[in-house]
Short mmCIF file of all heavy atoms in Angstrom, two decimals:
data_model
loop_
_atom_site.label_atom_id
_atom_site.label_comp_id
_atom_site.label_asym_id
_atom_site.label_seq_id
_atom_site.Cartn_x
_atom_site.Cartn_y
_atom_site.Cartn_z
N ARG A 238 4.99 5.28 -20.10
CA ARG A 238 4.78 4.86 -21.50
C ARG A 238 4.76 5.98 -22.53
O ARG A 238 5.36 5.86 -23.59
CB ARG A 238 3.36 4.15 -21.46
CG ARG A 238 2.99 3.67 -22.90
CD ARG A 238 1.84 2.62 -22.89
NE ARG A 238 0.55 3.27 -22.40
CZ ARG A 238 -0.23 4.13 -23.12
NH1 ARG A 238 0.13 4.60 -24.23
NH2 ARG A 238 -1.40 4.51 -22.52
N LEU A 239 4.11 7.06 -22.11
CA LEU A 239 3.95 8.23 -23.03
C LEU A 239 5.42 8.71 -23.28
O LEU A 239 5.95 9.16 -24.33
CB LEU A 239 2.97 9.20 -22.60
CG LEU A 239 1.59 8.94 -22.60
CD1 LEU A 239 0.78 9.96 -21.91
CD2 LEU A 239 1.11 8.57 -24.05
N MET A 240 6.19 8.93 -22.12
CA MET A 240 7.53 9.37 -22.39
C MET A 240 8.42 8.36 -23.32
O MET A 240 9.18 8.92 -24.02
CB MET A 240 8.22 9.55 -20.92
CG MET A 240 7.78 10.86 -20.31
SD MET A 240 8.50 11.21 -18.73
CE MET A 240 7.47 10.51 -17.63
N HIS A 241 8.24 7.11 -22.92
CA HIS A 241 8.98 6.20 -23.81
C HIS A 241 8.60 6.38 -25.24
O HIS A 241 9.42 6.37 -26.19
CB HIS A 241 8.52 4.73 -23.26
CG HIS A 241 9.03 3.64 -24.11
ND1 HIS A 241 10.29 3.04 -23.82
CD2 HIS A 241 8.57 2.96 -25.19
CE1 HIS A 241 10.56 2.05 -24.78
NE2 HIS A 241 9.58 2.09 -25.62
N GLU A 242 7.26 6.46 -25.60
CA GLU A 242 6.79 6.66 -26.80
C GLU A 242 7.37 7.94 -27.52
O GLU A 242 7.59 8.09 -28.85
CB GLU A 242 5.33 6.59 -26.94
CG GLU A 242 4.68 5.27 -26.95
CD GLU A 242 3.07 5.31 -26.64
OE1 GLU A 242 2.52 6.44 -26.80
OE2 GLU A 242 2.63 4.21 -26.31
N ALA A 243 7.51 9.01 -26.64
CA ALA A 243 8.08 10.22 -27.15
C ALA A 243 9.58 10.22 -27.34
O ALA A 243 10.20 11.29 -27.70
CB ALA A 243 7.68 11.41 -26.19
N GLY A 244 10.26 9.08 -27.06
CA GLY A 244 11.66 8.90 -27.27
C GLY A 244 12.52 9.04 -26.16
O GLY A 244 13.73 9.03 -26.30
N TYR A 245 11.94 9.37 -24.94
CA TYR A 245 12.87 9.47 -23.71
C TYR A 245 13.41 8.08 -23.48
O TYR A 245 12.75 7.10 -23.69
CB TYR A 245 12.08 10.12 -22.61
CG TYR A 245 11.76 11.47 -22.70
CD1 TYR A 245 10.50 11.86 -23.36
CD2 TYR A 245 12.70 12.47 -22.29
CE1 TYR A 245 10.19 13.34 -23.55
CE2 TYR A 245 12.36 13.87 -22.41
CZ TYR A 245 11.16 14.22 -23.05
OH TYR A 245 10.90 15.53 -23.10
N LYS A 246 14.53 8.16 -22.74
CA LYS A 246 15.07 6.87 -22.19
C LYS A 246 14.61 6.66 -20.76
O LYS A 246 15.24 7.24 -19.88
CB LYS A 246 16.70 6.97 -22.34
CG LYS A 246 17.38 5.63 -22.27
CD LYS A 246 18.85 5.72 -21.99
CE LYS A 246 19.58 5.94 -23.27
NZ LYS A 246 21.08 5.89 -23.11
N VAL A 247 13.68 5.87 -20.59
CA VAL A 247 13.14 5.60 -19.22
C VAL A 247 14.13 4.45 -18.61
O VAL A 247 14.12 3.35 -19.09
CB VAL A 247 11.69 5.19 -19.23
CG1 VAL A 247 11.22 4.97 -17.71
CG2 VAL A 247 10.79 6.28 -19.84
N ILE A 248 14.92 4.73 -17.69
CA ILE A 248 15.87 3.81 -17.08
C ILE A 248 15.49 3.01 -15.89
O ILE A 248 16.02 2.20 -15.43
CB ILE A 248 17.24 4.51 -16.92
CG1 ILE A 248 17.15 5.68 -15.84
CG2 ILE A 248 17.82 4.94 -18.27
CD1 ILE A 248 18.51 6.08 -15.36
N ALA A 249 14.37 3.66 -15.19
CA ALA A 249 13.87 2.93 -14.04
C ALA A 249 12.35 3.21 -13.74
O ALA A 249 11.93 4.24 -14.21
CB ALA A 249 14.65 3.36 -12.86
N ILE A 250 11.71 2.27 -13.32
CA ILE A 250 10.31 2.43 -12.86
C ILE A 250 10.03 1.39 -11.67
O ILE A 250 10.65 0.40 -11.60
CB ILE A 250 9.42 2.08 -14.21
CG1 ILE A 250 7.89 2.40 -13.78
CG2 ILE A 250 9.52 0.67 -14.59
CD1 ILE A 250 7.11 2.62 -15.03
N SER A 251 9.04 1.73 -10.90
CA SER A 251 8.72 0.86 -9.82
C SER A 251 7.23 0.76 -9.51
O SER A 251 6.46 1.51 -10.13
CB SER A 251 9.26 1.55 -8.47
OG SER A 251 8.64 2.79 -8.25
N ASP A 252 6.86 -0.18 -8.80
CA ASP A 252 5.53 -0.20 -8.06
C ASP A 252 5.71 -0.14 -6.63
O ASP A 252 6.72 0.08 -6.20
CB ASP A 252 4.66 -1.42 -8.59
CG ASP A 252 5.22 -2.73 -8.03
OD1 ASP A 252 6.20 -2.66 -7.36
OD2 ASP A 252 4.51 -3.82 -8.28
N MET A 253 4.62 -0.45 -5.86
CA MET A 253 4.91 -0.21 -4.41
C MET A 253 5.72 -1.27 -3.80
O MET A 253 6.26 -0.92 -2.64
CB MET A 253 3.45 -0.28 -3.80
CG MET A 253 2.60 -1.46 -3.92
SD MET A 253 1.08 -1.26 -3.23
CE MET A 253 0.12 -2.37 -4.21
N PHE A 254 6.03 -2.19 -4.46
CA PHE A 254 6.96 -3.32 -3.79
C PHE A 254 8.54 -3.03 -4.28
O PHE A 254 9.31 -3.65 -3.73
CB PHE A 254 6.59 -4.67 -4.27
CG PHE A 254 5.16 -5.00 -3.78
CD1 PHE A 254 4.17 -5.00 -4.74
CD2 PHE A 254 4.79 -4.98 -2.52
CE1 PHE A 254 2.90 -5.28 -4.41
CE2 PHE A 254 3.53 -5.26 -2.07
CZ PHE A 254 2.52 -5.37 -2.98
N GLY A 255 8.77 -2.21 -5.26
CA GLY A 255 10.10 -1.96 -5.68
C GLY A 255 10.22 -1.72 -7.14
O GLY A 255 9.17 -1.80 -7.87
N GLY A 256 11.43 -1.51 -7.68
CA GLY A 256 11.56 -1.04 -9.01
C GLY A 256 12.56 -1.84 -9.76
O GLY A 256 13.34 -2.86 -9.31
N ILE A 257 12.74 -1.57 -11.01
CA ILE A 257 13.55 -2.20 -11.97
C ILE A 257 14.42 -1.07 -12.68
O ILE A 257 13.97 0.04 -12.85
CB ILE A 257 12.94 -3.02 -13.17
CG1 ILE A 257 11.84 -2.24 -13.71
CG2 ILE A 257 12.40 -4.31 -12.49
CD1 ILE A 257 11.22 -3.08 -14.89
N TYR A 258 15.70 -1.32 -12.91
CA TYR A 258 16.64 -0.41 -13.37
C TYR A 258 17.50 -0.99 -14.55
O TYR A 258 18.04 -2.13 -14.42
CB TYR A 258 17.51 0.17 -12.37
CG TYR A 258 18.69 0.95 -12.64
CD1 TYR A 258 18.54 2.07 -13.39
CD2 TYR A 258 19.99 0.53 -12.34
CE1 TYR A 258 19.69 2.84 -13.64
CE2 TYR A 258 21.14 1.20 -12.62
CZ TYR A 258 20.93 2.41 -13.34
OH TYR A 258 22.19 3.15 -13.64
N ASN A 259 17.74 -0.28 -15.64
CA ASN A 259 18.76 -0.62 -16.66
C ASN A 259 19.21 0.73 -17.17
O ASN A 259 18.44 1.48 -17.80
CB ASN A 259 18.05 -1.40 -17.76
CG ASN A 259 19.09 -1.70 -18.77
OD1 ASN A 259 20.11 -1.10 -18.98
ND2 ASN A 259 18.99 -2.95 -19.46
#
Side-chain angles (χ1 to χ4, degrees):
R238 178 169 60 75
L239 293 174
M240 280 183 267
H241 175 87
E242 284 168 10
Y245 288 92
K246 196 196 277 188
V247 182
I248 59 166
I250 186 165
S251 66
D252 72 355
M253 57 188 156
F254 303 112
I257 50 176
Y258 166 62
N259 181 329

